[in-house]
Amino acid sequence: MAVPYAEKMAQSQKEISISDFFAKNRQILGFDNPSKALLVSVKEAVDNSLDACEEAGIFPSIFVGLEKVGDKDRFRMTVRDNGPGIVKKQIPNVFGRLLYGSRFHAIRQSRGQQGIGISSVVLYSQLTTGKAALITSKIGEDYPCHQMEVHINTKTNRPQIENPQVVLWDHPHGTEISVELEGRYQKNKKQSVMEYLRATAIVNPHVEIIFKGPDDEVHTFERVIELLPETANECKPHPHGIELGVLKNMLKYTEARKLSSFLINEFVRVSPRGARELLDTAGIDEKRKPNRLQLEDIQSLFDKIQEMKFMSPPTDCLSPIGDMLIRKGLRKEIDSKFAYTVTRDPSVFRGTPFQVEAGIVYGGDLPTGESVKILRFGNRVPLLYQQGGCVITHAIERINWRPYGLEQRGGKGIPVGPAVILVHIASTNVPFTSESKEAIADVDEIMDEIGRALMDCGRRVRSHINKKKKLKKVSEKYDIIREILPEISKKSSSMVGKPEPLLDPIITKIMNVHVFDSGVVYHESGEGDQKQKITEVTIKYQNYTNRERKMRIHVKVPDALIQGIYPETHVRKKGLIEWDVGPIQPARSQRLGFSILGLDKDDYDDVEIYYSRLPGEVIGADPL
Amino acid sequence: MAKKQKFKENQEAQFRLKKIAEYIYGQLRNEEVPHLEVSSRTKNNIVLSKDHKVWVYGSDQVTRSAKDLGGATNILRSLYTVNFIDEMINSGKSSTLREMYYISEGWEKAKFPSQDESNRLAEDLEIITKCMREDFKLRPEEDGARVIGDVTIEEMNRKGLKKKINCKDDVGDSGYGIPYNVEKEKLKFKNVNAKFIIAIETGGMFDRLAENGFDEGHNAILVHLKGQPARSTRRFIKRLHHYSKLPVVLFTDGDPWSYRIYASVAYGAIKTAHISEYLATPEAIYLGITPSDIINYDLPNDKLTDQDVNALKSELSDPRFSSSTWKSEIKLQLKIKKKSEQQALAKYGLDYVTETYLPEKLQEINII
């Protein structure tokens, strides 16, 4: 009797190692082509370095070097950080083993999530050049610096080490990876190493990056702020954010002995009462051992979890960049006239907390006839590819930008105008569309939050544009009353041979407007610990109408110590100072002002003025 | 006697110009924002003047107010210009429009950004004062339009002497050049021996008719329009027509821009509708090239451009082209989408235009 065919097949059926799989499917990790591969390699190495530094509370200073090797499309990439370093024993695991990392099990916002990143670079380098990665790491001033060559055994997914040695390194601590790989270097393109580093610098204003390109040009992205992002807390999963497979695994490996304590201890927002209720409705005894549950029971438990209501997950495991810092980053890298940023309150999709931050830059030297540039970020990492398939792009396209002063064909699609739009999604689990983490999936809750943030940005752009238009109009009127009208008077008087008439009443008729002007001056006083940062704000109201006026003026103030408010007849409200002003005679003015203590230079530069009870045209302020 | 008359006219112009300064000063005294009203100079604001059969401005006015920068600057420029003209008349001088534009260099805030602006302001002042720019002693650069035919003119030359010129016998191949001032004190018609006046758009065709002896063969006076005709050319045609009672025909290219040349000769131009009565010859007849000619004479042609089509469409709503003949011709041209130049007639030989085309067309309207 013949051997059944299945037996034959069984001989060739064996486990394919993950390394082997990725070796054959490199596009899954984003190494589709040489130029993208080079960029992705830099990105993975930099992300790794940033995460390591921040976790250790170190201001990241990162060196990125690219060197051409030979005539072919081959480069040596060196990325060095000043992070905490890696202990000798772990070096091979971190760089030579796929799916090995410290963050895979933690529910917390971080750049790398799957631990697939840096080892895939080592693998890619090995596949394209046959060379091992050279790793150098030092964990402290008084410790030896270890150096070794690492490569991956693709059959076993295990690292192999060659030439381990102790070397001298003139850095107190940190890690350096140096690999040779096939790649193509593109300069001045949207998807280039330079643009990636620039984008990284925008959302990480606490980072310093020195980039030395193949042309030996050195570009430094400077640190703008001496403040580390708050480390996000680790937190347990929310029941609504869990998938069936993960639930199954958690049940299998939990240390809890009873199902009820499993639910209470391994998840957030599950109270003892909630656990009991859940198990009751699922018809499972709460005293059962979690690892003894049958598949039907797990399915039933999973189904009931979806039906039950739980409190939203806590959001302190998120670490937004903060609107002020994004603004600083944008201002540093993009030269423009106007920047506005907003950080939304945290929100939740499928049990996963997330937070949207958005910013818009407008005017200046930005090109007017082109589509706006979109800067997308997921957990502080720039997303450079698959723009068209990303929820951020879709949210931008859904908004009608025309009322906000940007052009848009048919009120849909990416708007056109001198603007850059930035969107950052922070989440414990950013829902990327694929493992290469290039685009974020269309999740309704995220889409809506982005929409709200962008509309806020849009409104601010509109009011900026309107203000500019009005200011132009008012400056033309100043030209009339200061330059032209006196000349008209002089010329006509001399032609008719009569004395010049008084022009004041005509001036108020020509202006017929209320003008608010504001000025911000930053200065410092004292030295060292006594140093005071003072931002002085002045506001001037001018009555260019032909009647006396009374009004209420409201000025938005930041959350900081405010002093020296004048005139003293004012009212403090939350985030506002209010004055009742007047009566102010025609052609007269009134000055107001205050000082803000403790803010950095440029933290407060746009004075928001509102008015009430003021009829007619007003320039420089908005109605409340 | 003539000198006294002239003095009076100048005084009138000066008086009316000064009124503008008084008007502005009065507004300032009354605490009013200075402003000037001028007729709106668009095709929507031209109407037929019944008694003169020409198109003049209607009642729409635009106000230039010092409330906006453009208006304020315009008022200041008007004052400077008025002052300049006033002083120029006082000193017995005249200037070209271009010279005035350059003189404004010294006017600081009132300086003109381009000569178009200063020309337009001179026209504004004509409208406001109801004077002609000749009264302001402003003249255009040059015109160079030419005349050939049996007409005798008496022109006052630079030395103040009267000189008789016969435009057939006393001129060279290029004919008699029309001066910028063709008013009575400068130019008088003494004798005309012709059957009709034919005004021709292009220099090439004017020379062709002269070379072929069309003026003598058909007893015609040839006037070269040189594209869109200068004021003096139009005034010359009007005065010659008025003096001789001879019919006037226009011979131009067959495209929308040439129809506008005809309209400006016959009915007045939109830009200068305030002086249509001085310039327009409503009896002038359009001879060709017509769109029908393109078909009937099977003329070489070009496709209409987008601008041509737009110009034709705009003429359909222009009151000067509201007659049924014009409407059907323009619609025909939009249908065939073709245009032809007058020189396209050379297809049938150099003599065709004088031997066949013009005689046929002139017979159609009973001129020969």
Side-chain angles (χ1 to χ4, degrees), chain A residues 476-477 479-480 483-485 487-489 491-493 495-496 498-503 505-506 509-510, chain B residues 18 21-22 24-25 27-29 31-34 66-69 72-73 75-76 79-80 82-83 109:
Chain A
E476 284 191 352
K477 295 216 166 188
D479 275 357
I480 297 174
E483 317 258 2
I484 312 282
L485 188 66
E487 281 284 301
I488 291 177
S489 163
K491 198 84 194 168
S492 62
S493 308
M495 286 168 78
V496 300
K498 287 178 186 165
E500 279 197 56
L502 187 70
L503 298 177
I506 301 171
K509 273 182 190 157
I510 287 176
Chain B
K18 268 219 166 122
E22 278 165 20
I24 298 293
Y25 183 79
Q27 289 168 344
L28 292 175
R29 270 326 268 269
E31 302 185 355
E32 280 175 54
V33 177
K67 263 192 179 153
D68 64 80
L69 189 57
T73 312
I75 290 169
L76 185 60
L79 289 171
Y80 268 89
V82 163
N83 192 44
K109 289 275 161 190

Side-chain angles (χ1 to χ4, degrees), chain B residues 167-183:
Chain B
C167 300
K168 180 170 66 101
D169 300 329
D170 301 339
V171 298
D173 286 352
S174 59
Y176 168 75
I178 301 173
Y180 87 88
N181 183 359
V182 293
E183 296 308 318

Side-chain angles (χ1 to χ4, degrees), chain A residues 314-328:
Chain A
T315 50
D316 56 358
C317 44
L318 293 175
S319 150
I321 304 164
D323 50 354
M324 202 100 103
L325 292 190
I326 299 181
R327 190 146 73 232
K328 277 193 169 168

Side-chain angles (χ1 to χ4, degrees), chain B residues 165-219:
Chain B
I165 303 164
N166 180 276
C167 300
K168 180 170 66 101
D169 300 329
D170 301 339
V171 298
D173 286 352
S174 59
Y176 168 75
I178 301 173
Y180 87 88
N181 183 359
V182 293
E183 296 308 318
K184 279 192 190 102
E185 76 265 14
K186 170 82 180 164
L187 188 147
K188 278 187 183 126
F189 296 107
K190 285 297 173 189
N191 185 35
V192 177
N193 178 20
K195 276 192 187 150
F196 63 96
I197 302 159
I198 179 164
I200 301 141
E201 177 179 354
T202 64
M205 187 50 80
F206 177 83
D207 291 340
R208 166 63 42 226
L209 266 55
E211 191 181 304
N212 289 4
F214 187 78
D215 54 325
E216 297 202 42
H218 287 94
N219 240 341

Side-chain angles (χ1 to χ4, degrees), chain A residues 473-482 510-511, chain B residues 67:
Chain A
K473 209 169 129 192
V474 89
S475 89
E476 284 191 352
K477 295 216 166 188
Y478 278 130
D479 275 357
I480 297 174
I481 60 164
R482 286 183 191 149
I510 287 176
M511 294 298 283
Chain B
K67 263 192 179 153

Side-chain angles (χ1 to χ4, degrees), chain B residues 25-65:
Chain B
Y25 183 79
Q27 289 168 344
L28 292 175
R29 270 326 268 269
N30 292 333
E31 302 185 355
E32 280 175 54
V33 177
H35 56 275
L36 281 174
E37 292 89 8
V38 188
S39 294
S40 158
R41 292 154 77 186
T42 63
K43 74 174 181 198
N44 300 323
N45 189 37
I46 55 172
V47 294
L48 195 61
S49 80
K50 290 234 169 70
D51 37 341
H52 297 277
K53 298 186 213 162
V54 295
W55 293 95
V56 296
Y57 289 126
S59 54
D60 289 2
Q61 300 252 307
V62 285
T63 302
R64 307 204 200 283
S65 160

